[in-house]
Amino acid sequence: MIPIIRLCAVLMAAGTALAYSSALQAELRESLTLESPALGRKMRYSLYLPETAAAAGPLPVLYLLHGLGGNERDWQTLGKIEVMADRLIAGKAMPPIAIVMPDAGNSWYVNSAAHGPYEDAILEDLIPKAETRHGVGGRAANRAVAGLSMGGYGALRLAFRNPEKFAMTGALSAAIFPDLARQEDITEQQTGFFKGAFGTPFDIATFNRQNFFSDIPSLAATRLRPAIFITVGDDDGFGLYEGNLKLFLTLKRAGVPVEFRVTDGDHAWRLWRAQIEHILRYYGRVLGARAGQTGLN
């Protein structure tokens, strides 16, 4: 028979072990799938979940979008996103968040005949299904979207057109072009990057209809709108600092607050691996401010 004191010690140790085992270990799940009725097939995504004790509510979530030619694994294999997130969370530079990284092909995150209705797939399928399945997000105050290059365009567009769905949006070297007046306003190389997302051959009217500059007045009039963080390299090989600067000035003139950074670097992962830290930190401040804890400086 186990003495009472020893039995209590065993039970207490077991309880402690149980408590520790209830904590979630940081993990990266790659190439998960969910059904997308919008696309009529499965949609792939990867998921980062931080190491954290059971939370009182769903973890905040960041939807992190890849660039042209990429997929749902880019941010892990090239961006080392889990290493950065682990470090920032461990150092309390941001709260624990989940990161969902979808595969969207070369769709530009819009609905198109060439690639399918990817805007609908993200808004109507990915977001509600991933958040229900993994117990994250659940409301705008707990949700953000960011991306690089084509994904930066997609992140800004999704947030500007659906400001009620996101607390923050961030863009790294976003492929931004103001509305076009004539074919000569854009080069053949640039239209080639669109991969048919805006018509084949490229159609100016389709591009302008899908573009988000015309959404800025309504964004300015919206009471609850996402915080915005934009960063671009001063040596961007595609000259994307021009479109990013134009967007910054348009937002400022419309009275929409925006954080804007021009940093040293090209259109490359070396820059994005460094700059994603600032977007993650900014999202942490946004979450804190919305919880009444801190400001956005």
Side-chain angles (χ1 to χ4, degrees):
M1 177 178 286
I2 302 176
I4 294 295
I5 294 177
R6 186 181 167 198
L7 179 60
C8 289
V10 170
L11 290 174
M12 288 175 65
T16 301
L18 185 61
Y20 276 109
S21 69
S22 68
L24 297 173
Q25 299 300 306
E27 60 179 317
L28 183 64
R29 304 180 191 175
E30 296 185 309
S31 300
L32 303 173
T33 61
L34 55 77
E35 290 292 339
S36 171
L39 296 174
R41 55 179 171 78
K42 291 183 183 295
M43 185 177 190
R44 294 195 308 274
Y45 68 100
S46 291
L47 172 72
Y48 164 82
L49 289 172
E51 181 179 359
T52 178
L59 284 172
V61 61
L62 169 66
Y63 291 88
L64 192 53
L65 311 183
H66 66 76
L68 190 72
N71 58 44
E72 79 283 359
R73 298 185 68 244
D74 277 19
W75 274 107
Q76 304 102 66
T77 57
L78 300 171
K80 307 300 180 187
I81 189 64
E82 71 278 13
V83 176
M84 177 67 70
D86 283 347
R87 178 170 67 79
L88 293 177
I89 293 168
K92 302 193 183 306
M94 71 173 186
I97 67 167
I99 303 175
V100 175
M101 296 155 279
D103 173 36
N106 292 328
S107 68
W108 287 80
Y109 302 92
V110 303
N111 295 337
S112 71
H115 302 282
Y118 266 95
E119 178 182 3
D120 292 348
I122 289 172
L123 293 173
E124 298 172 13
D125 300 333
L126 176 71
I127 290 177
K129 291 188 176 186
E131 292 185 6
T132 298
R133 176 183 293 180
H134 302 293
V136 301
R139 56 195 179 98
N142 253 15
R143 184 185 302 127
V145 59
L148 68 88
S149 194
M150 178 189 80
Y153 171 90
L156 294 171
R157 184 180 179 278
L158 287 167
F160 285 14
R161 293 197 164 194
N162 305 274
E164 76 287 352
K165 291 185 180 295
F166 301 99
M168 190 277 293
T169 183
L172 305 95
S173 307
I176 298 170
F177 304 91
D179 289 353
L180 305 173
R182 19 170 231 159
Q183 191 71 37
E184 293 76 16
D185 290 340
I186 196 162
T187 68
E188 252 184 65
Q189 181 194 43
Q190 289 167 336
T191 58
F193 289 139
F194 293 143
K195 304 294 184 185
F198 305 105
T200 305
F202 173 75
D203 182 65
I204 288 176
T206 300
F207 177 82
N208 290 345
R209 187 168 59 252
Q210 294 279 27
N211 206 12
F212 52 74
F213 274 77
S214 61
D215 298 313
I216 292 175
S218 61
L219 183 69
T222 302
R223 187 177 64 85
L224 273 179
R225 56 179 170 256
I228 304 167
F229 192 107
I230 298 170
T231 178
V232 66
D234 60 352
D235 295 314
D236 191 287
F238 301 108
L240 293 176
Y241 38 76
E242 293 184 14
N244 279 260
L245 179 58
K246 176 68 174 178
L247 176 61
F248 166 69
L249 294 173
T250 304
L251 288 168
K252 292 293 283 186
R253 289 165 183 159
V256 177
V258 55
E259 292 293 324
F260 182 61
R261 307 285 186 273
V262 178
T263 58
D264 182 32
D266 201 345
H267 198 82
W269 276 102
R270 181 177 180 181
L271 180 142
W272 302 326
R273 280 193 297 269
Q275 291 305 306
I276 190 61
E277 174 174 356
H278 300 292
I279 286 181
L280 291 173
R281 285 177 177 270
Y282 186 67
Y283 184 30
R285 296 200 297 274
V286 169
L287 290 166
R290 299 219 169 189
Q293 298 171 358
T294 186
L296 295 182
N297 47 27

